[in-house]
Amino acid sequence: MSRTYLVTGAASGIGKATTDLLRSQGHTVIGADLKNSDISADLSSAEGRVELVTQARELTGGRLDGVVACAGIAQFDPLTIKVNHFGAVATLQGLRPLLAAGTDPRALAVGSIDSLHPTDSAIVHAALAGDEEAAVAASQTAVDGGEGHLVYSSSKAAISRWVRRSAITEDWAGTGIPLNAVGPGVIITPMTQPLLDDPEMRGVVEQSVPMPLHGHARPEQIAPLIAWLTSPENTHVTGQVIFVDGGADAVLRGDRTW
Ligand code: NAI
């Protein structure tokens, strides 16, 4: 049966591949992005987050069957915590009432293998407390201290933990909405291409995210997992962060987790 999805970050990379796959399966997908999409909204800002929900209501008549919060950036800048955590939370929370009116509703955030790398506890703590101002200030402190890379890993650790905490609450499990995250390894998209093109940076990436199975992936290889997790077939997987990473999690964490 044809479903209606909303995908953020739909203009590029993993969001675009997910949109293309769902449309090829006969579903309606409303894309949202900074530009070149059905809804133009800047998810780093309060106004953009309101705009997303307002336009989604207008375009769908107030009901959605699936939401994929994929928009993200990897800059050594506080903007990264605003988009990757607060933008994703606003997407999922803001569109939850539309999902509650949908059929077999499902929701998903895009985390990252980088959430397993070192993080900044002040950023993660503020993000999970819902304090955007404090999270931005902590991110600026990290950047000023030459630790700007921690903003990205912290943003992805925070959204992953938010998904696990929220999935089991009345709002989500209680209203029959599975909520999960995928944690991609290194995926060849406009976000990573410049790094992979630089031999020195490529070495750093390969060392920090070892992918023994099939190496770096293409966005089209991530989309099917997102499509399944947000399909009616998924009735009992919730609160999970599923790494789709060519084995990187197994290399990095070994049998410390399962
Ligand atoms: P991409 O750069 O190809 O696509 C990201 C999209 O998000 C772009 O279309 C961009 O315009 C949009 N976006 C950025 N800021 C926005 C804002 N303020 N408001 C609305 N939209 C905004 O990147 P890619 O690789 O497809 O990334 C998608 C998601 O996957 C991101 O959350 C990223 O962190 C995550 N990810 C990517 C990995 C990779 O290796 N490419 C690895 C792990 C996670």
Side-chain angles (χ1 to χ4, degrees):
M1 205 178 85
S2 176
R3 290 163 62 74
T4 303
Y5 291 80
L6 187 141
V7 177
T8 71
S12 178
I14 298 168
K16 182 174 188 309
T18 302
T19 299
D20 291 347
L21 176 63
L22 291 170
R23 284 182 179 157
S24 77
Q25 293 172 344
H27 303 301
T28 298
V29 182
I30 295 160
D33 209 301
L34 288 169
K35 55 181 183 175
N36 303 328
S37 220
D38 303 305
I39 298 176
S40 295
D42 178 354
L43 296 173
S44 71
S45 73
E47 304 74 41
R49 295 167 193 164
V50 170
E51 186 64 19
L52 173 78
V53 176
T54 304
Q55 286 208 39
R57 269 190 199 287
E58 281 171 15
L59 291 170
T60 64
R63 56 174 298 279
L64 276 170
D65 306 315
V67 171
V68 177
C70 185
I73 56 172
Q75 297 173 20
F76 291 15
D77 188 287
L79 190 60
T80 296
I81 190 76
K82 291 171 81 74
V83 178
N84 295 7
H85 179 78
F86 290 96
V89 169
T91 299
L92 294 164
Q93 277 181 338
L95 298 175
R96 201 193 63 82
L98 282 71
L99 284 171
T103 303
D104 296 323
R106 310 283 183 257
L108 181 134
V110 177
S112 172
I113 189 69
D114 226 45
S115 63
L116 303 181
H117 288 144
T119 57
D120 180 308
S121 60
I123 301 174
V124 176
H125 181 79
L128 286 171
D131 188 339
E132 188 161 3
E133 206 176 311
V136 166
S139 299
Q140 190 61 56
T141 302
V143 172
D144 293 344
E147 303 270 30
H149 60 286
L150 295 180
V151 183
Y152 183 75
S153 58
S154 302
S155 74
K156 292 302 186 179
I159 192 62
S160 302
R161 289 171 63 180
W162 182 88
V163 161
R164 286 181 65 77
R165 287 181 182 188
S166 304
I168 50 178
T169 62
E170 191 56 32
D171 272 358
W172 295 93
T175 45
I177 312 174
L179 170 63
N180 293 286
V182 294
V186 179
I187 318 303
I188 304 161
T189 70
M191 180 183 280
T192 51
Q193 194 70 63
L195 287 176
L196 299 173
D197 287 345
D198 175 334
E200 195 181 329
M201 286 314 296
R202 189 184 182 95
V204 172
V205 168
E206 281 170 354
Q207 200 175 8
S208 61
V209 184
M211 296 175 66
L213 178 71
H214 295 153
H216 299 156
R218 288 176 288 105
E220 295 75 22
Q221 294 168 314
I222 312 306
L225 177 61
I226 296 175
W228 186 82
L229 285 167
T230 54
S231 74
E233 271 187 300
N234 174 22
T235 57
H236 282 75
V237 178
T238 199
Q240 296 298 310
V241 179
I242 301 183
F243 292 100
V244 50
D245 64 355
D249 168 38
V251 174
L252 295 171
R253 292 199 293 183
D255 60 6
R256 280 183 287 127
T257 190
W258 56 87

